[in-house]
Amino acid sequence: MSRAACLLVIISLMSPAAEALDNGLALKPTMGWLHWERFMCNIDCDTDPNNCISERLYMQMADVMVKEGWKEAGYEYVCIDDCWPSHQRDAQGRLQADPKRFPGGIKKLADYIHSKGLKLGIYADVGDKTCAGYPGSLGYYEKDAQTFADWDVDLLKFDGCFMNRALLGEGYINMSKALNNTGRPILYSCEWPLYEWPLKQPNYTAIRETCNHWRNFDDVFDSWSSVKSILDWTAAHQDIIVPAAGPGGWNDPDMLVIGNFGLSHDQQESQMALWAIMASPLLMSNDLRDICPRSKELLQNKRIIDISQDSMGKQGYRTAKGNDFEVWERPLSKNRLAIAVLNKLETGGPRGFNIGAAPGWKICGPQCNVTQILPQYKEMGVQTQQSKIIVSVNPSGTALLTVTPISSDFRRLHKLNWQGTFVRRKHTIL
Ligand code: GLA
């Protein structure tokens, strides 16, 4: 990033973020499970009853979420994506679930999910049809919002297929109002900017006022190239999108695909670490009924989740790049900083990176406490500006650390700003 661009980010991040959608939700990045990447539009319940889009899938996922520690780790929303409805609306014009795959209907499913202490998400589209060709909500925003509220749904993912792009903003805003008018708090997950980017630069102030999170870029696939492309897009647009994130509204780089088929363990660690740094919703799309213990442990890693859910709610971003390494940093509450070092070189073996070269290392003064979280948990103890800490990072893997300044005098005298540089307080009491 150029100095001027860097300054711009600093200025915009120091000024208060635009108002978030005021529905009291998503004060921290949403955590849960969403069916799309893993189960797609599998509606073949005759030959594949275990994996088809049916009430059974969500009930089983909810059961596992409670039994296997997911709920306890913070994963709360069980979310339906596309392909749940019948192709026809009912006689009153309401959306209805496919009767064969959801014999109990969505209200009953919501009751079940709630009985487990979890929340239910559903999917619809701002345009004529959903991306998979099911009925869209255009012309039915109030009706659909009321239907979802009547069913006690807790989250709506609102897609943007089959919509006149010039009317996207209006559509998303109208649905936001319709949800609000139901009086039920329904977390609103939008794809507005993703569909608007080809037309113009989205207005993130308006998006933040309208949505609780918003997709900016392509759908995630179960591959490292897909995860990398999301990171590259995010870094390339960070000046625009990072300032928009904060409690109540988040950039959404799409689902976590950890626990599936396409990512090596190092790559899974990279996705988990970087999604935490980016203050992204943590919506897993995998089969929790059948997941390998290492992926499970990673997804439930409390230290990484703590970074994701940090109360300050500032999104991190890429602060340095070179020698096939990328440094991503996120300012945390209590003056702490999370540093992720991604090894982009996909050849050779582990490579050493001197943490002192991370721009945010400045906060380690005069002393700091360093904890390494990935690839292994390690308390690195008290360090100074001069310490030379070399972390070893595997190809396409990530080292993740937190740095905590420890001198109380230092904290009294200085106020740490978001980027890890120091602003001297006007009135210091010595
Ligand atoms: C779009 C969205 C995906 C998913 C599919 C469903 O591609 O971006 O996340 O919801 O539609 O058809």
Side-chain angles (χ1 to χ4, degrees):
M1 201 181 342
S2 70
R3 275 180 79 90
C6 198
L7 202 71
L8 256 180
V9 175
I10 295 173
I11 291 165
S12 49
L13 282 180
M14 281 176 18
S15 56
E19 292 292 317
L21 169 60
D22 187 17
N23 61 2
L25 300 171
L27 298 178
K28 295 179 174 180
T30 307
M31 291 179 69
W33 180 91
L34 174 62
H35 96 238
W36 187 253
E37 193 288 321
R38 177 63 188 254
F39 296 93
M40 311 287 301
C41 194
N42 179 354
I43 52 171
D44 184 2
C45 292
D46 293 334
T47 52
D48 198 6
N50 237 355
N51 301 302
C52 67
I53 305 313
S54 68
E55 61 187 28
R56 184 172 143 177
L57 182 70
Y58 307 98
M59 290 162 87
Q60 290 186 349
M61 234 36 91
D63 292 347
V64 177
M65 280 171 76
V66 173
K67 276 200 207 110
E68 306 273 332
W70 299 99
K71 180 183 161 197
E72 213 185 311
Y75 295 95
E76 188 182 18
Y77 288 83
V78 180
C79 302
I80 305 173
D81 207 288
D82 207 344
C83 305
W84 64 271
S86 155
H87 277 288
Q88 271 80 45
R89 288 177 176 267
D90 73 7
Q92 282 80 50
R94 288 174 307 202
L95 287 171
Q96 50 186 346
D98 181 283
K100 196 168 161 212
R101 294 181 285 117
F102 293 83
I106 303 294
K107 168 77 174 98
K108 264 227 168 115
L109 178 57
D111 290 347
Y112 185 82
I113 302 285
H114 293 153
S115 76
K116 301 272 160 187
L118 297 167
K119 298 198 156 123
L120 180 70
I122 206 160
Y123 166 100
D125 190 288
V126 71
D128 276 326
K129 280 188 268 179
T130 73
C131 297
Y134 289 82
S137 295
L138 189 61
Y140 295 90
Y141 296 153
E142 280 83 20
K143 184 161 278 186
D144 291 353
Q146 194 53 54
T147 304
F148 299 144
D150 293 344
W151 287 342
D152 288 339
V153 161
D154 305 293
L155 175 153
L156 173 65
K157 171 175 174 178
F158 210 38
D159 212 334
C161 277
F162 299 102
M163 180 65 170
N164 177 344
R165 287 195 174 160
L167 301 177
L168 269 173
E170 204 182 302
Y172 275 98
I173 291 168
N174 286 339
M175 187 47 140
S176 187
K177 287 183 185 151
L179 290 171
N180 197 44
N181 288 342
T182 68
R184 179 172 177 83
I186 298 180
L187 199 153
Y188 188 35
S189 163
C190 301
E191 298 207 28
W192 171 4
L194 184 159
Y195 289 91
E196 199 165 77
W197 268 108
L199 193 72
K200 59 174 183 192
Q201 181 174 314
N203 174 349
Y204 280 95
T205 305
I207 291 169
R208 181 170 168 76
E209 284 165 3
T210 306
C211 308
N212 292 117
H213 31 88
W214 48 86
R215 285 273 309 284
N216 293 304
F217 185 62
D218 294 350
D219 293 2
V220 70
F221 281 35
D222 188 11
S223 73
W224 179 234
S225 63
S226 166
V227 171
K228 258 190 318 186
S229 70
I230 293 172
L231 293 173
D232 290 345
W233 188 94
T234 303
H237 297 82
Q238 59 190 11
D239 300 9
I240 301 164
I241 66 168
V242 170
W250 312 97
N251 289 294
D252 177 6
D254 212 2
M255 295 157 268
L256 293 168
V257 291
I258 295 165
N260 292 320
F261 310 96
L263 301 185
S264 70
H265 193 74
D266 287 297
Q267 293 161 354
Q268 296 183 39
E269 291 187 347
S270 292
Q271 194 188 26
M272 190 70 188
L274 271 308
W275 261 234
I277 292 279
M278 292 189 294
S280 314
L282 300 180
L283 291 169
M284 308 175 283
S285 193
N286 49 16
D287 191 346
L288 298 174
R289 301 164 302 185
D290 178 20
I291 186 166
C292 87
R294 272 186 101 189
S295 299
K296 180 177 171 190
E297 202 185 315
L298 174 63
L299 285 161
Q300 295 191 359
N301 184 311
K302 189 177 172 335
R303 291 185 175 86
I304 309 178
I305 292 174
D306 282 350
I307 294 175
S308 151
Q309 304 288 299
D310 182 73
S311 59
M312 199 163 73
K314 287 272 187 205
Q315 177 173 344
Y317 63 97
R318 194 172 72 191
T319 54
K321 169 183 179 204
N323 194 21
D324 289 301
F325 281 113
E326 288 188 3
V327 180
W328 290 66
E329 296 174 325
R330 175 171 175 184
L332 301 173
S333 54
K334 301 191 199 125
N335 286 348
R336 293 164 308 136
L337 184 75
I339 304 180
V341 180
L342 169 65
N343 178 1
K344 291 283 285 284
L345 197 64
E346 291 171 45
T347 183
R351 293 193 301 143
F353 181 91
N354 178 6
I355 284 294
W361 183 249
K362 296 182 203 70
I363 72 158
C364 184
Q367 290 186 319
C368 65
N369 234 310
V370 180
T371 304
Q372 181 172 321
I373 298 170
L374 288 174
Q376 298 89 26
Y377 168 64
K378 206 177 345 170
E379 287 298 345
M380 294 182 145
V382 177
Q383 305 289 338
T384 69
Q385 270 287 287
Q386 286 68 41
S387 301
K388 196 164 180 200
I389 306 176
I390 310 284
V391 289
S392 172
V393 200
N394 289 347
S396 64
T398 294
L400 179 66
L401 302 98
T402 53
V403 181
T404 310
I406 48 177
S407 160
S408 56
D409 279 341
F410 180 78
R411 266 202 226 124
R412 222 158 35 87
L413 291 170
H414 298 85
K415 188 169 181 287
L416 188 66
N417 82 8
W418 68 278
Q419 215 209 6
T421 50
F422 299 121
V423 182
R424 220 184 149 83
R425 280 199 179 132
K426 273 195 190 127
H427 309 288
T428 49
I429 307 152
L430 295 170

